Amino acid sequence: MITLRDLVPGDVLAVQRIYSGASLTFTRRHPMTIGDAAAHVTTALTQARASPRERWCFGVTAGDDLVGVIKFRDRGAGHATLSYILREDTWGRGYGTAAVRQVIAYAFTATHVDRLSAKHHPDNPASGRVLGKAGFTRTAVFQGRADGAPVTYPVYEICRAGWGAHIDRSPGKTRRSSAPTGQLPGS
């Protein structure tokens, strides 16, 4: 269905398309210019070479089409924060859930991360469902701001210790969330 891979310089136009339109509705970003997208890709490439590595950024591909970006950032003490964005014309196809499952597997098998957390805008319950399907549990709220107004963001977590027990309960499936299928660094 989807694979994860490192971003490459040729992804600039696709990244610009991902970070535009309705995909930005519940983010604090503005549409990327071509220069913004080039800087985003260059930063991801630089961070991939850092040692010790503190940030991981992967492209989400469906076939040869880059349809999203998923990343996690080391916050210290074995904790990392996860975020993802998909191009709006790919919503509702399971790509977000599949990408989050692959990143969880990667983070818990190829890095020192023991706990991942993520939050989503309360007006975007689809992101909460993605996190829940991938094994995250809602644990707290974060008081933030969006467009100058206070916003209460739901916060979700998954821990390495509990991840092994997470079963994919999708119809017709009874398997543990799968490991990444793309060529990820360290895999």
Side-chain angles (χ1 to χ4, degrees):
M1 183 146 91
I2 62 109
T3 57
L4 303 183
R5 64 165 175 78
D6 283 324
L7 294 177
V8 297
D11 289 332
V12 171
L13 290 176
V15 167
Q16 181 188 26
R17 184 171 174 212
I18 291 163
Y19 285 93
S20 66
S23 296
L24 298 178
T25 301
F26 301 109
T27 71
R28 295 178 301 220
R29 290 185 167 266
H30 298 285
M32 280 190 175
T33 65
I34 196 73
D36 296 335
H40 187 82
V41 170
T42 299
T43 298
L45 294 170
T46 301
Q47 292 168 346
R49 293 187 302 268
S51 183
R53 192 162 182 184
E54 296 178 357
R55 296 176 189 227
W56 293 259
C57 180
F58 304 115
V60 179
T61 61
D64 292 333
D65 192 12
L66 185 68
V67 299
V69 173
I70 188 165
K71 48 191 166 182
F72 64 102
R73 179 179 181 183
D74 186 348
R75 300 295 184 167
H79 173 234
T81 52
L82 170 78
S83 64
Y84 58 92
I85 186 169
L86 294 174
R87 210 174 58 214
E88 65 186 282
D89 64 328
T90 65
W91 295 348
R93 298 181 187 183
Y95 296 166
T97 302
V100 170
R101 286 178 176 157
Q102 288 185 34
V103 164
I104 292 167
Y106 179 78
F108 290 163
T109 61
T111 77
H112 67 282
V113 171
D114 292 317
R115 179 173 57 102
L116 284 167
S117 65
K119 67 182 188 312
H120 69 86
H121 194 283
D123 291 337
N124 186 10
S127 279
R129 289 190 298 274
V130 164
L131 295 168
K133 288 179 195 177
F136 279 77
T137 302
R138 186 172 168 175
T139 57
V141 295
F142 170 76
Q143 299 299 323
R145 298 188 76 73
D147 297 325
V151 176
T152 302
Y153 293 89
V155 177
Y156 296 74
E157 287 189 354
I158 189 168
C159 296
R160 182 190 307 251
W163 168 69
H166 177 67
I167 302 296
D168 180 351
R169 299 190 195 290
S170 302
K173 298 180 184 176
T174 56
R175 63 174 174 77
R176 185 169 126 171
S177 297
S178 60
T181 58
Q183 293 297 320
L184 301 180
S187 60

